[in-house]
Amino acid sequence: MKGNILIVDDEFGVRESFRMILKDEYNLFIHSEPGEALRTIKKNRIDVALLDIRMPKMNGIELLGEIKKIDHDIQAVIITGYATLDTAVKAMRFGAFDYLTKPFDRNKLEELVKEGIKRRRRRDREKKELKRLEIIKKDVNERLEKIYSSTVESLMVALEAKDSYTSSHSEGVAEYAILILDGLNLNLSSEFGEIFRYVCTLHDIGKIGVSEQILRKKGKLNKREWEEIKKHPEIGVSILQPIEFLEKFIPMVLYHHEHFDGGGYPEGKKGEDIPLWARVLAVADSYHAMRSDRPYRLAMSEEDALEELKAGAGTQFDPEVVKVAVRVLKKKKRTS
Ligand SMILES: [Fe+2]
């Protein structure tokens, strides 16, 4: 394939000699004016540009800057009548790979154009290779993510064996949390909703790192046991962190036991410093727990559980989230 060469020089004689020397081997785009040259570059793929440094309106260095904005990989040679070190350095700094002095030597010109084409081809190959590597990387990441997600799901199964309550509870929490989220009318995408639900089902996964005796204990927990339970949000984060698509949702897991008044754990975050998704999850989590039979107490009635949510508004829970939760949960009761 013939290379495409752009020649920009305001001197007719120079343009014509370039044409004579290069026309048989290359496709030439010859202009006397930088503006026309830029239009040509926008419409055609140019491999090598030979740019006169001294032109009215826009000099060769400025033109090179504009050319690079359109196609950074065009290989440029600056043509100069007075090759000082300064102009050469300037040309290189602006991205030319070499320069040619006038009056020019035919062999030198041919050599430079050949070199430019070689560089451009090499750049094309590099870009192609980079693209290929990116595709491979994406593919590997997706596969790793799938493997990791299934590992997390296996961990959930393992947690179920350890603590059957947590697993069934998590599904229920997700249902309530989605109801509340919908009630907030935030116009979220369905993809967001799906990941949100997924994270709700996993929010207690960190309990896999808490001893079975503590998880299954029927009586009241002592201080040491309680301290161990309190580690589960952080353990959950360390389990879920490697899954890239969950990144934005990790704070939900970390802060689902924070209280609106700052009295929760692990950090004692307060009010709106607790991410909204974690505030929603906290209400759904507590409501589902109240509505479930536990070894140490029976499930609360819907009315009592809703009253309990209202009582915790402003202390344990975000009052706005409670307001929405009470509305949507009452409605659910009427429709179910
Ligand atoms: Fe939890």
Side-chain angles (χ1 to χ4, degrees), residues 21 27 42 51 77 82 106 113 134 136 141 169 177 183 255 289 315 327 330:
I21 298 167
N27 299 317
K42 281 181 191 156
L51 312 172
V77 175
Y82 48 101
R106 182 190 173 125
V113 172
E134 264 160 21
I136 293 175
N141 277 347
H169 164 70
Y255 299 124
T315 49
R327 176 167 56 81
K330 265 188 183 162

Side-chain angles (χ1 to χ4, degrees), residues 5 39 90 169 171 216 226 259 284 296 321 323 333:
I5 314 295
R39 276 191 289 281
K90 222 173 177 185
H169 164 70
E171 297 289 334
R216 290 184 174 179
W226 186 233
H259 288 183
Y296 43 88
V321 175
K323 222 183 271 172
K333 186 186 160 196

Side-chain angles (χ1 to χ4, degrees), residues 205-219:
I205 196 158
K207 285 191 179 165
I208 196 85
V210 176
S211 96
E212 212 166 312
Q213 284 75 22
I214 298 177
L215 291 176
R216 290 184 174 179
K217 189 172 173 181
K218 293 200 165 92

